[in-house]
């Protein structure tokens, strides 16, 4: 179904190729996982399957890519779209219309499908991916996970022979991710759909795939079963790491499989809970927070206390209000009721710029924060906007603690005073593994690198 022979590809204005001498064969009906570190070339290889590379991105390419009998370099995306359904890592990149049902039907309309069959296809994929209750919703009211499921539905409605997915569960809660992966497994088994999936959350997908291909620095470093590729994976999920430590072969892919191999002595009842530790003093407090989108309540009287120096996980189903709560904390949304205090100071009336001196925010889509022509300039823009001089900033040692936010919060109309940057831009990029990309255009990086 897919034959790649000695493929080498370099993006425009880049010195190093993103893919180097890649050869790969995928048979009809396989369910293949592509994995590797951020920036390894996974998304680039996936885009070769539907012709976005090189027809959309340009650059230099050599070798051969054949998909469903079609030469990708000669054919291009227009013809390949009927054979390869593609789901982007960022679902907003492929949305066209502003209503769920219409978005799914759009591709079918372009294919000239008769209305009765179109209605059946749309209803079918909405049921598969639990989108039926959202059929009349506007896309701008959907959560990131709901939009990701919608992008999958739009691709599946055309019933392609190959489905290529770039991290389709990255914005899904565990229950939704399990439902999507189960639906993909059924499509693979019952319809013979060939699936090529890029994913970092290996513990979710390994039970479903029958083959793993590992890519690092543009080259395939491993190709085989989970056991054959385990030593080459970018990281081992906890369950596989346990099986490897105990010398199990084959490695367990599910908790049930691991439990079945443990001696009964290990499956003793849980120990009684220890006495609770004394509570830490709160750093951030939320009291009786309310927020609604177009009159539809999302947050209803939320109370939350976060201690200093702790890592807190905010969990919940897609659309439960997690992102809305974070946006209220940083000032991107104004709650209709309630208040947020930081270190005892009420943040009511403070704008985003003032709050961001104390509360940093990373959205689901990192492109929302990228404006400059280079990675280094992105950091300098932030410092300039906050009147922080970047030159001669002290560079802490690798094990230095993160600077605390002990300074009092200014009032809403107070000017932001200059201060030294807590870490130089060059040192920060080095710590994040981005030193070599300092002069690169941010949107040319992989999504993981952009984050």
């Amino acid at each position: 179904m897919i034959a790649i022979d000695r493929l080498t590809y370099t993006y425009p204005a880049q010195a190093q190729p993103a893919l180097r001498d890649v050869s790969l064969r995928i048979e009809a009906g396989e369910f293949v996982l592509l994995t590797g570190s951020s920036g390894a070339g996974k998304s680039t290889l996936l885009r070769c399957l539907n012709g976005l590379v090189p027809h959309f991105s340009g650059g230099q390419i050599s070798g051969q890519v054949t998909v469903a009998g079609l030469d990708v370099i000669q054919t291009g995306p227009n013809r390949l779209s009927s054979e390869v359904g593609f789901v982007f890592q960022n679902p907003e990149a492929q949305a066209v219309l502003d209503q769920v049902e219409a978005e799914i039907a759009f591709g079918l309309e372009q294919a000239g499908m008769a209305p009765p069959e179109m209605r059946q296809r749309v209803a079918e994929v909405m049921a598969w991916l639990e989108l039926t209750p959202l059929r009349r919703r506007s896309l701008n009211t959907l959560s990131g996970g709901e939009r990701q499921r919608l992008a999958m539905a739009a691709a599946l409605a055309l019933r392609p022979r190959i489905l290529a997915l770039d991290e389709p569960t990255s914005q899904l809660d565990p229950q939704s991710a399990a439902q999507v992966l189960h639906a993909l497994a059924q499509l693979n088994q019952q319809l013979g759909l060939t699936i090529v999936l890029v994913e970092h959350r290996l513990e979710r997908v390994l039970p479903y795939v029958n083959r793993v291909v590992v890519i690092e620095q543009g080259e395939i470093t491993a190709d085989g079963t989970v056991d054959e590729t385990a030593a080459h994976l970018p990281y081992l999920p906890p369950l596989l790491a346990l099986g490897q430590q105990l010398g199990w072969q084959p490695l367990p892919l599910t908790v049930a499989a691991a439990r079945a191999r443990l001696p009964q002595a290990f499956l003793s009842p849980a120990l009684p809970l220890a006495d609770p530790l004394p509570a830490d003093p709160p750093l951030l407090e939320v009291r009786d927070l309310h927020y609604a989108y177009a009159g539809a309540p999302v947050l209803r009287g939320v109370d939350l206390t976060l201690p200093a120096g702790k890592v807190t996980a905010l969990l919940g189903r897609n659309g439960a209000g997690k992102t809305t709560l974070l946006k209220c904390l940083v000032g991107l949304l104004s709650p209709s009721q309630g208040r947020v205090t930081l270190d005892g100071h009420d943040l009511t009336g403070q704008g985003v710029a003032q709050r961001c001196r104390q509360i940093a925010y990373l959205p689901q889509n990192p492109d929302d924060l990228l404006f400059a022509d280079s990675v280094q300039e992105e950091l300098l823009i932030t410092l300039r906007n906050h009147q922080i001089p970047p030159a001669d900033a002290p560079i802490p040692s690798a094990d230095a603690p993160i600077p605390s936010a002990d300074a009092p919060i200014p009032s809403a109309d107070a000017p932001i005073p200059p201060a030294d940057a807590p870490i130089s831009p060059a040192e920060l990029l080095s710590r994040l593994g981005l030193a070599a990309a300092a002069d690169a255009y941010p949107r040319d990086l992989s999504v993981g690198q952009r984050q």
Side-chain angles (χ1 to χ4, degrees):
M1 184 62 73
I2 298 169
I4 301 173
D5 184 36
R6 306 198 68 177
L7 171 66
T8 297
Y9 173 72
T10 306
Y11 282 101
Q14 296 297 310
Q16 300 297 322
L19 298 172
R20 296 180 178 87
D21 199 31
V22 170
S23 295
L24 180 68
R25 293 186 65 86
I26 296 176
E27 302 300 328
E30 283 196 272
F31 195 155
V32 179
L33 166 67
L34 294 181
T35 192
S37 305
S38 291
K42 306 181 298 297
S43 296
T44 301
L45 182 58
L46 204 68
R47 288 168 181 246
C48 290
L49 303 184
N50 70 343
L52 286 178
V53 170
H55 295 279
F56 176 77
S57 56
Q60 297 180 337
I61 191 168
S62 63
Q64 187 173 27
V65 182
T66 304
V67 174
L70 301 172
D71 186 319
V72 168
I73 298 175
Q74 299 296 324
T75 306
N78 188 40
R79 171 68 178 86
L80 287 166
S81 63
S82 62
E83 303 288 347
V84 183
F86 197 94
V87 179
F88 288 85
Q89 191 171 4
N90 174 14
E92 295 178 5
Q94 65 190 91
V96 180
L97 301 179
D98 190 42
Q99 190 219 42
V100 169
E101 192 172 39
E103 174 67 17
I104 298 173
F106 179 76
L108 305 178
E109 292 173 336
Q110 305 314 301
M113 186 172 292
E117 184 179 359
M118 190 186 309
R119 284 191 288 270
Q120 180 182 348
R121 293 269 193 102
V122 171
E124 190 176 67
V125 295
M126 285 195 300
W128 280 343
L129 297 171
E130 294 193 328
L131 291 170
T132 304
L134 309 177
R135 64 189 307 162
R136 305 294 184 192
R137 286 270 297 274
S138 171
L139 267 62
N140 60 17
T141 68
L142 303 181
S143 71
E146 290 166 341
R147 293 196 68 152
Q148 206 155 26
R149 280 189 283 154
L150 174 59
M152 291 182 60
L156 287 170
L158 284 164
R159 293 184 183 172
R161 299 168 67 187
I162 301 167
L163 188 60
L165 306 106
D166 198 350
E167 295 198 54
T169 69
S170 63
Q171 297 186 39
L172 299 182
D173 60 68
Q175 184 174 343
S176 296
Q179 291 167 346
V180 165
L181 289 168
H182 181 69
L184 290 175
Q186 286 187 313
L187 292 167
N188 172 252
Q189 295 163 9
Q190 297 176 11
L191 303 180
L193 185 67
T194 303
I195 299 176
V196 184
L197 172 75
V198 169
E199 189 58 80
H200 286 286
R201 291 162 176 77
L202 304 184
E203 63 275 7
R204 289 181 177 178
V205 301
L206 287 177
Y208 296 93
V209 303
N210 50 40
R211 183 177 169 191
V212 179
V213 177
V214 183
I215 305 176
E216 294 294 349
Q217 297 182 342
E219 299 177 346
I220 293 179
T221 58
D223 182 357
T225 65
V226 174
D227 289 278
E228 292 168 343
T229 58
H232 299 272
L233 294 173
Y235 78 97
L236 273 183
L239 197 60
L240 268 66
L242 172 66
Q244 197 173 63
Q245 287 288 323
L246 296 176
W248 289 346
Q249 289 292 333
L251 293 173
L253 300 182
T254 64
V255 172
R259 286 179 61 88
R261 299 175 70 165
L262 282 173
Q264 190 62 35
F266 284 96
L267 303 177
S268 57
L271 295 174
L273 294 174
D275 292 333
L277 297 173
D280 293 309
L283 175 64
L284 186 142
E285 292 185 275
V286 176
R287 291 290 173 262
D288 193 31
L289 205 67
H290 292 254
Y291 189 83
Y293 290 103
V298 177
L299 302 179
R300 304 176 182 89
V302 170
D303 292 319
L304 178 67
T305 300
L306 298 181
K310 303 293 184 183
V311 177
T312 301
L314 186 61
L315 306 179
R317 294 298 306 272
N318 291 127
K322 304 181 297 296
T323 299
T324 300
L325 176 56
L326 292 184
K327 288 183 176 181
C328 286
L329 298 184
V330 79
L332 289 168
L333 297 176
S334 298
S336 58
Q337 182 178 325
R339 65 189 181 97
V340 179
T341 60
L342 181 64
D343 208 14
H345 299 273
D346 192 341
L347 301 186
T348 303
Q350 286 196 12
V352 177
Q354 288 177 294
R355 293 196 190 193
C356 281
R357 290 293 297 270
Q358 303 284 347
I359 306 173
Y361 175 67
L362 177 66
Q364 282 181 322
N365 180 9
D367 290 346
D368 291 345
L369 296 184
L370 302 178
F371 310 100
D373 290 333
S374 73
V375 170
Q376 181 174 250
E377 183 63 17
E378 291 286 359
L379 274 62
L380 296 176
I381 284 176
T382 297
L383 294 175
R384 286 198 296 268
N385 285 345
H386 290 282
Q387 303 174 29
I388 300 174
D392 303 319
I395 300 176
S397 61
D399 56 354
I402 297 174
S404 62
D406 292 333
I409 299 172
S411 64
D413 55 354
I416 301 173
D420 287 333
I423 182 172
S424 72
E427 173 69 8
L428 181 55
L429 291 178
S430 178
R431 287 196 188 186
L432 295 174
L434 292 171
D439 296 323
Y441 182 56
R443 292 170 188 258
D444 284 343
L445 304 180
S446 73
V447 174
Q449 289 172 318
R450 283 179 243 170
Q451 287 175 324

